Amino acid sequence: MDRGVLTIAGERQDPVPAEEDGVTVYAQERFAGAFRRVVSLPEEADAGKVDATYRDGILRITVAKHEASKPRRIEIS
Amino acid sequence: MSSELQTSGRNTPQATRDETTRDQPFVVPPVDIYENESGITLLADLPGVSRERLGVRVDGETLIVEASASTAQPEGMQLIYGEAQYPSYRRQFTLSRELDSSRIEAALKDGVLKLQIPRREEAKPRRIEVRVG
């Protein structure tokens, strides 16, 4: 996270061996290599409260909103 | 040599429809397939799929991979942008007779399925010793 911009980057190694040693490749559709994605977050995103979990190949990032931007109920006395 | 495994369906990122069995849209997962002397290795991208939601079966000469990704949407939240929905996956392959479908090994890690399908023993290349008489 940098100035309201969330960057996700990683790399997947190519597990398919080179076409040598008697290995024949029939299909190579899966992505391999480095990847990167940049998402700009709204102003109310709190960079100090970012949580990330990774499970079954899915990355879930939770970014909290600033307390000040949450709706508040004002009590009338 | 011709392809040992014939794939049915291209790598289409958008959901396609299965006319025969179900009306539900599904995604054809991208695969890598390679072969060496001992058999075929198949890798399939199934992000969001846990072991309980994955089905790999062999019906005659057809290998079928079916899976559904977890639909654990955060509670009380509204989707404002969606590129990575949780889909159903389906893809089938025709197995060569040279392969031994009774000894397929399957492993699932980080949303990637790895299938190892050995060749039948009699279909493996053998080296014949030549004796000098």
Side-chain angles (χ1 to χ4, degrees), chain A residues 17-73:
Chain A
E19 286 205 43
E20 51 187 36
D21 308 323
V23 174
T24 313
V25 176
Y26 291 121
Q28 203 159 4
E29 302 166 353
R30 296 170 63 244
F31 168 82
F35 58 87
R36 183 182 187 83
R37 179 112 191 218
V38 178
V39 182
S40 59
L41 297 173
E43 262 181 41
E44 63 257 46
D46 187 348
K49 287 184 188 163
V50 184
D51 190 52
T53 55
Y54 181 78
R55 195 177 162 208
D56 296 332
I58 290 190
L59 175 69
R60 171 179 294 199
I61 299 169
T62 310
V63 185
K65 286 183 180 177
H66 279 296
E67 284 298 327
S69 68
K70 287 183 184 166
R72 279 182 304 149
R73 179 180 292 274

Side-chain angles (χ1 to χ4, degrees), chain B residues 22 26-27 29 31 42 44 46 54-58 62-67 89-93 113 115:
Chain B
R22 283 181 297 169
F26 63 89
V27 168
V31 294
L42 184 153
L46 303 167
L54 170 67
V56 180
R57 58 191 167 92
V58 175
T62 307
L63 170 74
I64 300 150
V65 176
E66 279 175 309
Y89 298 101
R90 190 184 153 91
R91 190 152 180 183
Q92 61 183 50
F93 307 89
L113 171 68
L115 289 180

Side-chain angles (χ1 to χ4, degrees), chain A residues 55-58, chain B residues 46-50 53 68-71 86-87 89 110-111:
Chain A
R55 195 177 162 208
D56 296 332
I58 290 190
Chain B
L46 303 167
V49 172
S50 58
R53 293 169 167 270
S68 60
S70 163
T71 52
Y86 303 101
Y89 298 101
D110 292 341

